[in-house]
Amino acid sequence: MKLAIGCDHGGFELKEEILKFIKTVANIQVSDMGPAAKESVDYPDFGAKVSEAVAKGAMDRGILICGTGIGMSIVANRFPNVRAALCHDHFTAQMSREHNDANVLVMGERVIGKGVALEIVKTWLDTQFAGGRHQKRLDKIHEIEKSINK
Ligand code: RB5
């Protein structure tokens, strides 16, 4: 799996922790899309880099972190084919994969602690999309996306 990760200054420390963890997971090729240091940056710049890579298929999945996760979610969900889920716990991480086939995970470093964040990442990476009735709903999202981008 090719996975891109990005953040702003509000999510920088958590990005570094997640990177350390992901590098220990087999079969994941991780690409750090920045920033490289904790200076103040604008979340749309880094949210767009990761989301564009997922939208174009250059990356299979993305992880985005800002202070609350809200700004990054707003940015990511503007990109076609991106289903970004702001997750705060194990349950939302599991459901975002099983029901929504989320391909971008978003978290807020100022909202959750490192332990919960790493649990979310593990769950999100390990959980498969359930398909079935949920696929029909994703197809409807795709149809909406096509109709508003005409
Ligand atoms: C940065 O201060 C903060 O606004 C940002 O990280 C994020 O929480 C925006 O939604």
Side-chain angles (χ1 to χ4, degrees), residues 29-56:
Q29 199 184 314
V30 64
S31 171
D32 182 359
M33 296 199 164
K38 203 187 167 171
E39 83 271 15
S40 182
V41 292
D42 298 328
Y43 62 81
D45 298 337
F46 294 89
K49 279 189 191 182
V50 169
S51 305
E52 188 179 12
V54 174
K56 289 185 170 165

Side-chain angles (χ1 to χ4, degrees), residues 10 14 18 64-69 86-90 92-93 105-121:
L14 191 51
I18 292 169
L64 287 168
I65 311 127
C66 62
T68 59
L86 174 54
C87 296
H88 298 304
D89 50 34
H90 174 89
T92 48
L105 168 64
V106 189
M107 289 173 290
E109 181 182 311
R110 297 174 187 160
V111 182
I112 53 172
K114 177 187 153 191
V116 171
L118 292 181
E119 186 190 13
I120 288 171
V121 171

